[in-house]
Amino acid sequence: ESAKKFMGNMEYSIDFKGDIYEQEIGGKTFYCMDVVNHYGGTDILQSYYATIIKSFAFTFVTTYVTDDQKAAVQTAIDQIEFQ
């Protein structure tokens, strides 16, 4: 929720898509937040992922504009494995 507050104060427009949700990735539960950045007439879609692994925060962000890019990113996420 603090990330939403911080990001909502930036100079370009951000819309949050829905609530924070859980997603299983490589056997780990990630908490995810989807946003749309409206910048220069383009909608830039991002998904933020976060989990705790061995007492450390592990986060990553995916960014895409087209459905093809979204599919390519999801294919990469589906291949993530943790040891």
Side-chain angles (χ1 to χ4, degrees):
E1 294 300 317
S2 12
K4 284 185 177 182
K5 185 181 281 188
F6 169 76
M7 293 170 65
N9 290 329
M10 294 186 169
E11 290 185 24
Y12 52 91
S13 172
I14 294 179
D15 289 325
F16 298 94
K17 295 174 57 181
D19 294 326
I20 294 171
Y21 60 94
E22 293 181 7
Q23 181 175 339
E24 195 79 14
I25 300 173
K28 304 285 184 191
T29 300
F30 280 76
Y31 294 90
C32 309
M33 177 176 66
D34 296 328
V35 302
V36 180
N37 298 292
H38 307 286
Y39 185 75
T42 301
D43 287 345
I44 302 166
L45 295 96
Q46 293 184 307
S47 296
Y48 291 75
Y49 300 84
T51 194
I52 302 295
I53 300 174
K54 297 183 181 180
S55 300
F56 291 93
F58 179 76
T59 64
F60 66 95
V61 179
T62 60
T63 303
Y64 53 91
V65 175
T66 68
D67 287 338
D68 287 341
Q69 291 171 340
K70 180 180 181 179
V73 167
Q74 188 59 53
T75 297
I77 290 172
D78 291 343
Q79 295 176 21
I80 294 174
E81 295 180 12
F82 295 95
Q83 296 181 352

